[in-house]
Structure formats: structure tokens, C-alpha cells
Amino acid sequence: MKHKGWNAEFKKLVKSAITDYTETLGFKHYAVDVRWFDQDDTGERGGSLLAACTTDHRYLTATVKIYPCFEKRWISDGKHLYFIRETISHEIAHIATHSLWYIATSIYKDEGESVDAWESLTTVVGRLLYDIDKLKNKPVDKKKKSKNKRYH
């Protein structure tokens, strides 16, 4: 059955969650595309997917796929914001864990590629820690300047 059109409030909340979580994890430099599908998709494990995320670390892109059953469930469960944010936070986390997946499955051709993926993931975790630290209002030692302009 084809989807007949997306609820404007739902779309706005999904886009907002994607932006918030992408920034929180330190992926502002990624181009994140949202695709709204007309039909549900059955995942590898047999259940209907609410959403899915694919990433490409080489080109710094991510695609978040949104399926109609996500919106239907959001409506049937009472239009709770936490349901959208919990679902989207999981999908955006795939951006951070993508490098770890590659390392764990040994997809890289040589040690240099594995080290690059590890460093990429370490950078993400470092940004996340720094951002959490800023949110906690802990003072940052201003005498030591980071070489990374993001932290100034």
C-alpha cells in the first residue's frame, strides 16, 4: 500500500531530531540526506523498518530513510516526541559506529586503512566528549589552545 502524504509536524520533528543529533555527535561536516519512502521496507531480520541510515565516510555523507510505518506508529502511539527522537538517535548513531563496523569486519585492505578508520572514530568520540563537557559547563583550560579551530 502506497503512503498518501507525510504529516507536516512529523516531518518537521524528524528533520529537527536529525539536525540535533548530527550536531551533538560532531557530524556537522556531513551532508545528511533524508529520503521519505512511499512503502514500508522489511529489514534483514524480517520486521518492518521504521527508519534506516547508511553512511559513506569517504564522501562524508549519510542517508536517513524514513518509512511510512514510522509515522503510522507515531500517530497511533499518541504523537510522542520521544518516540521520534529515540528512533532517530539510533539511526544517527550509525554514522559514528560505521568505522567500528568496518574495523570489526576487517573490510579494509591494509593496516593503514584500518588505522584511518580508527582515528576517524576516535575523532568523533573526542568531539562528543568535548561537547558533553561544554554542556556540563565545566571550565576549559583557556591557556592551552587546541590546534582544531572547532574548539576555540
Side-chain angles (χ1 to χ4, degrees):
M1 184 170 127
K2 273 200 151 190
H3 189 60
K4 295 185 179 177
W6 292 92
N7 177 295
E9 179 186 8
F10 177 79
K11 284 183 81 167
K12 181 180 176 185
L13 292 171
V14 166
K15 288 177 182 178
S16 175
I18 289 170
T19 300
D20 290 349
Y21 291 129
T22 301
E23 290 180 3
T24 298
L25 280 178
F27 288 107
K28 292 184 218 181
H29 59 292
Y30 266 65
V32 180
D33 183 33
V34 183
R35 297 204 181 148
W36 306 89
F37 283 76
D38 288 337
Q39 295 183 4
D40 289 333
D41 186 13
T42 304
E44 294 172 359
R45 295 182 219 149
S48 290
L49 296 175
L50 300 175
C53 182
T54 57
T55 63
D56 187 325
H57 284 285
R58 176 174 291 181
Y59 297 106
L60 303 177
T61 62
T63 302
V64 178
K65 301 171 187 175
I66 306 296
Y67 298 102
C69 62
F70 186 11
E71 181 188 52
K72 288 176 199 165
R73 186 160 158 208
W74 172 70
I75 291 169
S76 69
D77 286 353
K79 296 186 176 182
H80 296 288
L81 176 61
Y82 73 85
F83 176 66
I84 290 174
R85 295 190 69 85
E86 182 178 48
T87 302
I88 296 301
S89 67
H90 174 86
E91 297 309 325
I92 296 303
H94 282 292
I95 300 171
T97 61
H98 191 246
S99 294
L100 187 57
W101 169 256
Y102 271 10
I103 293 168
T105 57
S106 300
I107 292 174
Y108 294 111
K109 295 175 186 165
D110 59 36
E111 185 179 350
E113 286 185 359
S114 294
V115 169
D116 287 346
W118 184 18
E119 287 301 323
S120 175
L121 183 59
T122 302
T123 298
V124 169
V125 173
R127 287 180 185 155
L128 179 59
L129 289 173
Y130 184 80
D131 287 345
I132 289 170
D133 194 46
K134 285 194 315 187
L135 289 173
K136 288 182 174 180
N137 293 319
K138 288 185 176 179
V140 176
D141 185 357
K142 294 184 181 190
K143 294 176 187 173
K144 294 182 181 178
K145 292 260 183 178
S146 169
K147 293 179 184 175
N148 188 335
K149 292 179 185 177
R150 174 177 161 74
Y151 298 118
H152 294 289

